[in-house]
């Protein structure tokens, strides 16, 4: 990586939140601005005796902390974002995040451990540097970030080029003066002196810096003392790690660590990811630097459980994390995205007006987070469409969209067809029977898609009161979820067992994902989408958001029975397809419903079953959309 390159990604792991703002400023000084990225990483450490799911609330707090911190260092020309991950050990969390993000440089903070241990840098850095996933830099500073004079001591080792590269990045952004310094030991021969000089000349020539950088040459009987003496006139020392000598137990080498401990100015020690062949440097008998551990392979059930618990802690959000609408707007513009809200409705005249007014006024008119609000009507016979028209909201009758494809009764068909008419890169759907409507039902779902690049689909969850005997009880809703959907998910699709409310109607997704999966046309649409997105994009692509409480129209028991019947069919169908087995010869789609009329009861047969719409991306008319 050369300092003139435009793209550069820096990861900043935070250990107990130390000096976040200072390190952000240093990271900004190391970027080339255009197209550069900074990822601020927080690790929640969960003890071995607790499940990863216990990290959910600490992770939420950490995300809020990091969100506030990165606002301080925000730059228009650099993407700065935060991420929080769950791990048993901080160092393992850093390695996992680095594998996910693939940064060019990890910037650590100096631990300052000098009283109880000879180690300068700390356990977390030790374990990451043992087998570095990328270039490593460790900063020791005193609150200053305006480095005007930078000293780069070099000996020509494998890390010298990285040290010079980072110094020139800083010089470009901070208008600093850089001096490359080489210390010749007094007892070396002229031949050795000339050889060392040629090595440094070669590095500067290959980097195109022969005439752009000041050079210092000093003779001394102690390299480290010479560096400390000269550095008194500088604000920052940037130096590469030393190749370890046979008796050197230090992680970055004896001289860099001595300088890091004793310099009066800031010190940045760097280590390239390029491996050094220690087998040719260390004779037999030198202790191995590795950290042996006994590998105990968990059972498949334990492994799935840990994956789900970790997902639950990392991908479960609260709507209040995203209530800064201006921040969401900035993220939306930065990513050049458009967002559509689709409102599927059938005879919702009692609630549709309030929903449109609250959402449109706050998130479309006042804050243009939503580019469009559209009613997707399924043939309402009440005033639903008239209300939407009076509130200047465009509407479509779902049966009339893509008429050549025919239509099916059901919300799932309306959602599938809405993909054809909604224009956004992100699609949000909320049910239209919500009585306690609030903008959080929309911005809460959009938030994870704007802040987490890996998430492609987000669902809401909430407490659902139920009315019994004219009294609204705080709990009791979600009967199909708890009695049908979640038990079957735990049995057959345990990867989704952390979903609080898999059947929730409030969801948002990236078009690029939604258009690639099929839709069931009726009650099974929600569970079908979850399973298909899981299978196509993986669990990490799904998030869930706590929306607090949702008050809506509770369905009678007969309707819930039909809903359960349809959902079970979808789960069995996907189970057969996943495992290439036939669970049932022919799934029975007819259900005998028990009907009661006054003093008699009887059985009534109904056909209950969803059709499956193909992925919208396969539809020719969709691919020809004029506005695409």
């Amino acid at each position: 990586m050369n300092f003139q390159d435009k793209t550069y990604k820096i990861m900043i792991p935070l250990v107990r939140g130390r000096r976040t703002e200072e390190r952000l400023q240093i990271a900004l000084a190391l970027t080339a601005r255009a197209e550069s990225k900074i990822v601020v990483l927080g690790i929640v450490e969960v003890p071995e005796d607790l499940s990863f799911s216990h990290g959910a609330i600490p992770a939420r707090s950490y995300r809020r902390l990091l969100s506030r911190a990165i606002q301080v260092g925000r730059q228009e020309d650099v993407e700065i974002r935060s991420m929080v991950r769950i791990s048993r050990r901080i160092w393992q969390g850093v390695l996992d995040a680095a594998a996910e993000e693939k940064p060019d440089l990890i910037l650590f903070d100096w631990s300052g451990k000098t009283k109880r241990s000879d180690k300068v840098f700390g356990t977390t850095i030790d374990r990451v540097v043992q087998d570095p996933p990328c270039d490593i830099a460790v900063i020791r500073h005193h609150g200053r970030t305006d480095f005007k004079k930078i000293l780069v001591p070099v000996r020509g080792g494998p890390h010298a080029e990285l040290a010079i590269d980072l110094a020139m990045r800083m010089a470009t952004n901070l208008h600093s003066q850089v001096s490359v310094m080489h210390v010749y030991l007094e007892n070396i021969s002229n031949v050795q002196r000339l050889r060392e000089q040629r090595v440094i000349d070669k590095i500067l020539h290959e980097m195109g810096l022969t005439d752009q950088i000041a050079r210092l040459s000093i003779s001394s009987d102690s390299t480290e003392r010479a560096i400390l003496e000269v550095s008194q006139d500088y604000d920052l020392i940037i130096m590469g790690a030393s190749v370890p000598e046979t008796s050197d137990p230090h992680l970055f080498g004896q001289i860099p660590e001595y300088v890091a401990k004793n310099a009066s100015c800031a010190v940045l020690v760097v280590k390239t990811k390029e491996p050094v062949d220690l087998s040719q440097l260390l004779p037999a008998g030198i202790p191995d630097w590795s950290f042996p551990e006994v590998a105990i392979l968990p059972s498949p059930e334990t492994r799935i459980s840990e994956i789900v618990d970790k997902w639950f802690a990392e991908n479960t959000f609260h709507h209040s994390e995203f209530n800064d609408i201006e921040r969401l707007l900035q993220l939306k513009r930065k990513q050049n995205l458009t967002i559509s809200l689709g409102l599927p409705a059938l005879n919702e005249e009692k609630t549709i007006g309030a929903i449109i007014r609250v959402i449109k006024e706050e998130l479309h008119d006042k804050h243009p987070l939503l580019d469009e609000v559209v009613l997707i009507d399924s043939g309402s016979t009440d005033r639903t469409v008239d209300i939407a028209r009076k509130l200047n909201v465009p509407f479509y009758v779902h049966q009339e969209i893509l008429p050549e494809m025919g239509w099916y009764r059901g919300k799932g068909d309306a959602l599938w067809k809405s993909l054809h008419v909604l224009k956004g890169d992100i699609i949000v759907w909320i049910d239209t029977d919500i009585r306690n409507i609030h903008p959080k039902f929309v911005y809460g779902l959009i938030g994870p898609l704007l802040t987490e690049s890996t998430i492609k689909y987000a669902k809401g969850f909430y407490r659902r009161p139920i009315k019994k005997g004219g009294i609204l009880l705080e709990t009791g809703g979600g009967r199909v979820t708890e009695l049908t959907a979640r038990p079957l998910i735990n049995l057959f699709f345990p990867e989704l067992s952390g979903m609080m409310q898999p059947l929730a109607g409030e969801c948002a997704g990236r078009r690029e994902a939604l258009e690639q999966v099929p839709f069931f046309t009726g009650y099974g649409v929600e569970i079908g989408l979850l399973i298909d997105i899981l299978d196509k994009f993986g669990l990490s692509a799904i998030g869930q958001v706590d929306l607090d409480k949702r008050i809506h129209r509770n369905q009678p028991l007969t309707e819930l029975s039909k809903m359960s019947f349809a959902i079970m069919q979808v789960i069995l169908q996907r189970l057969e397809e996943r495992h290439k087995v036939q669970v049932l010869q022919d799934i029975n789609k007819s259900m005998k419903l028990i009907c009661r009329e006054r003093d008699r009861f009887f059985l009534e047969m109904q056909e209950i079953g969803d059709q499956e719409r193909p992925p919208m991306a396969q539809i020719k008319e969709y691919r020809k959309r004029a506005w695409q």
Side-chain angles (χ1 to χ4, degrees), residues 59-60 63-64 67 71 82 314-331 335 362-363 367 369 438-453 455 458-461 543-547:
R60 180 192 302 173
R63 284 194 296 267
R64 286 172 174 156
S67 177
Q71 296 305 311
S82 61
E314 293 179 350
N315 284 32
T316 300
F317 306 87
H318 191 273
H319 68 81
S320 61
E321 297 179 53
F322 312 111
N323 58 14
D324 185 346
I325 309 302
E326 283 302 319
R327 173 173 169 259
L328 295 183
L329 269 172
Q330 291 174 8
L331 291 170
Q335 298 170 49
E362 186 66 19
L363 301 181
H367 303 284
L369 185 64
H438 185 278
K440 66 185 178 186
F441 284 93
V442 175
Y443 68 66
L445 296 168
I446 294 172
L449 298 172
L450 293 180
T451 58
E452 302 286 334
S453 59
I455 293 181
K459 289 188 71 71
F461 68 91
Q544 60 181 352
V545 185
D546 187 346
L547 301 176

Side-chain angles (χ1 to χ4, degrees), residues 54-342:
H54 285 267
I57 300 303
R60 180 192 302 173
S61 300
Y62 221 151
R63 284 194 296 267
R64 286 172 174 156
L65 172 68
L66 298 187
S67 177
R68 290 193 295 269
I70 65 177
Q71 296 305 311
V72 177
R74 189 164 296 284
Q75 298 278 342
E76 287 299 323
D77 50 357
V78 178
E79 178 187 331
I80 304 177
R81 61 184 180 84
S82 61
M83 63 185 294
V84 174
R85 294 295 179 261
I86 310 298
S87 185
R88 295 297 183 198
R89 298 173 183 84
I90 292 176
W91 60 265
Q92 186 62 60
V94 174
L95 289 175
D96 291 343
E100 179 183 338
E101 289 291 322
K102 297 178 173 55
D104 298 296
L105 178 76
I106 298 178
L107 177 62
F108 284 107
D109 188 50
W110 178 62
S111 71
K113 292 183 177 179
T114 57
K115 293 183 179 180
R116 298 185 180 179
S117 171
D118 289 335
K119 285 189 176 181
V120 179
F121 301 107
T123 303
T124 294
I125 303 175
D126 290 357
R127 300 302 293 265
V128 176
V129 174
Q130 178 192 358
D131 186 16
C134 62
D135 294 340
I136 306 291
V138 185
I139 182 74
R140 178 199 177 190
H141 56 97
H142 306 285
R144 286 193 60 181
T145 56
D146 55 336
F147 307 122
K148 297 305 180 185
K149 296 184 67 178
I150 302 173
L151 179 67
V152 187
V154 295
R155 296 181 63 187
H159 314 294
E161 185 173 342
L162 176 60
I164 297 172
D165 180 89
L166 296 182
M168 294 306 296
R169 287 178 182 275
M170 276 198 173
T172 301
N173 292 316
L174 301 179
H175 307 290
S176 308
Q177 173 190 334
V178 177
S179 298
V180 170
M181 171 187 178
H182 181 65
V183 180
Y184 297 100
L185 294 178
E186 291 178 344
N187 59 354
I188 67 171
S189 66
N190 289 334
V191 173
Q192 179 63 25
R193 181 185 292 259
L194 182 60
R195 184 182 296 120
E196 291 182 12
Q197 180 180 326
R198 286 176 175 172
V199 169
I200 297 170
D201 289 343
K202 183 174 183 291
I203 292 173
L204 295 178
H205 176 73
E206 290 178 349
M207 297 183 71
L209 297 173
T210 304
D211 300 322
Q212 301 179 33
I213 199 165
R215 294 183 60 175
L216 298 174
S217 297
I218 295 176
S219 293
S220 175
D221 62 350
S222 170
T223 300
E224 51 266 55
R225 284 202 303 269
I227 294 172
L228 292 177
E229 183 177 344
V230 173
S231 69
Q232 293 179 23
D233 296 326
Y234 288 83
D235 305 311
L236 172 67
I237 301 170
I238 301 180
M239 61 189 305
S242 300
V243 176
E245 299 173 0
T246 56
S247 58
D248 188 359
H250 298 85
L251 184 66
F252 287 85
Q254 182 177 356
I255 293 176
E257 296 196 15
Y258 181 87
V259 172
K261 282 184 181 181
N262 296 286
S264 58
C265 64
V267 180
L268 185 72
V269 181
V270 303
K271 189 176 190 296
T272 180
K273 67 180 177 181
E274 298 302 326
V276 178
D277 188 0
L278 296 178
S279 64
Q280 299 182 16
L281 299 170
L282 299 179
I286 297 299
D288 190 355
W289 281 13
S290 64
F291 298 82
E293 292 186 353
V294 178
I296 302 175
L297 297 178
S299 67
E301 294 81 6
T302 301
R303 179 65 178 152
I304 283 289
S305 179
E306 285 204 350
I307 289 172
V308 172
D309 288 347
K310 191 171 187 292
W311 170 87
F312 182 87
E314 293 179 350
N315 284 32
T316 300
F317 306 87
H318 191 273
H319 68 81
S320 61
E321 297 179 53
F322 312 111
N323 58 14
D324 185 346
I325 309 302
E326 283 302 319
R327 173 173 169 259
L328 295 183
L329 269 172
Q330 291 174 8
L331 291 170
K332 172 193 169 186
R333 290 165 181 157
K334 188 85 173 178
Q335 298 170 49
N336 194 29
L337 296 173
T338 55
I339 305 176
S340 299
L341 172 63

Side-chain angles (χ1 to χ4, degrees), residues 610-625:
D610 288 9
Q611 302 299 316
E612 186 176 345
R613 290 292 199 177
M616 184 59 79
Q618 297 178 8
I619 305 303
K620 180 177 63 176
E621 290 77 12
Y622 175 79
R623 297 196 299 270
K624 291 180 178 179
R625 293 172 307 168

Side-chain angles (χ1 to χ4, degrees), residues 31-45:
T31 64
R33 290 298 193 266
E35 301 180 25
S36 292
K37 298 178 181 180
I38 297 174
V39 180
V40 182
L41 171 66
I43 303 294
V44 175
E45 204 170 18

